[in-house]
Amino acid sequence: MPNVVVIGAQWGDEGKGKFVDLLTLQADVVVRFQGGNNAGHTVVVGGKKTILHLIPSGILHPGKACVIGNGVVVDPEVLAEEIAELKASGSLQQDDQLVLSLDAHVIMPWHKALDIAREHRAGAGKIGTTGRGIGPTYEDKVARRGLRIRDLLDDQRFARKVKERLASAREELARLGASLDVEEPALLKKYAELGRVLAPYAKDASLWLHHAMKAGKSLLFEGAQGTLLDVDHGTYPFVTSSNTVAGNAACGSGVGPTALHRVIGISKAYSTRVGSGPYPSELKDETGEKLRAVGAEFGATTGRPRRTGWIDVLALRYAVRVNGLDGVAITKLDVLTGFPEVKIATGYRCGNRTFDEMPSDLETLEKCEAVYESMPGWTEKLGGVRRWEDLPRNARTYLERIAQLIGVKIVAVSVGAERDETVVLENLFQKAHA
Ligand code: IMP
């Protein structure tokens, strides 16, 4: 059976959660492979809104399994809370619905404290992180001194590793003028309890996925954040600390790259960004305000107002390239209803230079201004539209132009937050199977 990877094609918050939720109807297993609770996926089903930070939104479908892969960094407190909330609301009724990789790294209290203290110290130069300890946890992973879920399940080993790391973390925090308000015995007790809550789910996720594929199950890989936030391919250093691109779906879950059959990018019909960093099509005017207000562009994790702008085909073309996208789903098209004109960034101007591909140099990108193509807008409400031909003429022209400019077809268009408020143009799982 085919496996599909869903990736954010912009700066995150593209509405991946809704598409993953929709595609889960056809998949058997949903897999997260990077990031942590810096992500926040909002899914609305039957008017009920659920925000998930770690567990894939596929968990809301009874009978589907969800995997948190080795590439994810896990805050055990947050995961335990999500499990409890899901159980209380009638989801996750069977333990075998959730698989937590034994090799996923654990976000510890010092990681969160370091994240916040460093951002505070950086002042105007800050990254604008979510403050969830994501970066410091990945740092410890790469420095080969991280704690993994398998350590959390072994009280003695966990105590030894905490002791080894805690002293140096306290020293580093002190240098930043911060401290950790927890003593070692209390910390060990708390994490031992969390370990017991998570133990029923902890498995060799790679092996589990291998068996699932052997049994003919189809996998849906759910990316978090977006392509331009990738630690290698994003607007470094204004990025998150993991690889958000499609290739990491294999690495971060323990399947081979040949198991990734289709890669779909999700893009808003406009664009947004949270945190610092270059954003050539940003609108700092009334139009940007209107996009923020109509699109309810406030972070699902931090509540921060998102920066807003027109859609940027240079960024999308770049996402097509580094992810190998073979389809794009456009979200929140309904938000553009009522704008007298809609614009597409088709190039950048930087002094007397022009670009039609994203410049790889950050300093150049920071100085770039977008050059736009403008098109007439539409006034029709789109919530009830389910077929391509029922979209307003101008909306279709707008989407067709985007598809032409990025050279990839549009496979679905979202016209509202509800699962069924979607125009589906291609059955991804069927196509991949052919
Ligand atoms: P971190 O991932 O918390 O280290 O934050 C690094 C950068 O990624 C900041 O600019 C964040 O705003 C951004 N970021 C992290 N997670 C998300 C997300 O899920 N959506 C959008 N931006 C994110």
Side-chain angles (χ1 to χ4, degrees), residues 11-13 16 38-41 115 127-135 224-226 229 238-241 273-276 301 304 306:
W11 285 272
D13 309 316
K16 294 178 290 294
N38 46 351
H41 289 170
D115 193 358
I127 306 288
T129 72
T130 57
R132 302 298 193 262
I134 307 295
Q225 292 85 48
L229 290 175
F238 299 103
V239 292
T240 192
S241 296
R273 177 169 196 161
V274 201
S276 320
T301 300
R304 289 184 288 178
R306 295 178 182 144

Side-chain angles (χ1 to χ4, degrees), residues 268-290:
K268 277 179 189 161
Y270 48 98
S271 63
T272 61
R273 177 169 196 161
V274 201
S276 320
Y279 181 7
S281 70
E282 181 171 14
L283 290 167
K284 292 183 177 163
D285 57 6
E286 277 172 21
T287 309
E289 285 287 336
K290 188 171 162 191

Side-chain angles (χ1 to χ4, degrees), residues 2-3 45 106 127 134 138 147 154 159 215 248 256 263 275 297 304 347 358 361 364 375 389:
N3 303 320
V45 184
V106 179
I127 306 288
I134 307 295
Y138 278 116
L147 285 108
D154 177 331
N248 196 28
V263 185
E297 296 298 352
R304 289 184 288 178
M358 251 193 134
D361 177 52
T364 308
M375 309 177 107
E389 50 275 28

Side-chain angles (χ1 to χ4, degrees), residues 38-53:
N38 46 351
H41 289 170
T42 311
V43 186
V44 184
V45 184
K48 191 171 160 259
K49 192 162 148 180
T50 310
I51 301 182
L52 291 166
H53 297 284

